Amino acid sequence: MNSLVGKHITEQFYEQLEKEQRPDQIENLLASAFSLNGLDYKKRSIILSNYSRHYAFCKTHAFDFAKTSALLSIMHVLLERDTRLHTDEIDMFRSCDYFEELLLTHSVERSPVR
């Protein structure tokens, strides 16, 4: 598995996020980073609410660029995977296992190598 650091949130983009104070502008930036602008309003709002909370968590815990980028990308990859699966393939336990795998892969301060 390749590193998710910088995949969706680049250092330049992270700097933009850090400078922004207005919640609506932060949401717009996150929507742009994760290509959410084409979604219907309700789905976009729900997803952006989650991403905004994840970003707020990162700020509260003083995450740097690499940690913020990794966490937001992990949550995005997990969401994309789970929404792409067919109903009979969606399983909370499989999703949790995949989430755990992503966390363990990205939880040390080095690029993941497998």
Side-chain angles (χ1 to χ4, degrees):
M1 179 176 295
N2 294 327
S3 175
L4 292 175
V5 175
K7 181 171 179 153
H8 300 98
I9 304 291
T10 63
E11 283 192 65
Q12 258 186 322
F13 196 85
Y14 173 77
E15 290 171 11
Q16 276 185 278
L17 273 173
E18 287 294 294
K19 290 177 188 172
E20 191 55 62
Q21 299 297 314
R22 295 181 9 214
D24 62 320
Q25 287 300 92
I26 290 171
E27 282 191 356
N28 286 337
L29 287 169
L30 291 170
S32 172
F34 295 106
S35 303
L36 303 177
N37 291 323
L39 298 177
D40 67 75
Y41 177 78
K42 187 175 181 179
K43 187 172 185 176
R44 182 181 185 274
S45 295
I46 292 168
I47 293 171
L48 275 178
S49 176
N50 281 309
Y51 288 165
S52 295
R53 278 189 245 127
H54 297 314
Y55 179 65
F57 175 87
C58 293
K59 287 196 62 97
T60 300
H61 294 281
F63 280 21
D64 61 9
F65 155 71
K67 292 175 185 175
T68 299
S69 179
L71 179 65
L72 291 173
S73 288
I74 285 170
M75 300 314 293
H76 182 69
V77 167
L78 186 65
L79 176 72
E80 279 194 328
R81 176 192 172 274
D82 285 352
T83 56
R84 191 176 52 241
L85 296 175
H86 297 306
T87 308
D88 58 337
E89 295 175 307
I90 297 173
D91 178 327
M92 183 176 67
F93 295 107
R94 284 187 205 161
S95 184
C96 286
D97 288 344
Y98 186 61
F99 176 64
E100 184 177 319
E101 178 185 339
L102 288 170
L103 279 180
L104 290 174
T105 301
H106 292 84
S107 65
V108 293
E109 294 194 25
R110 61 176 171 72
S111 294
V113 179
R114 287 193 167 208

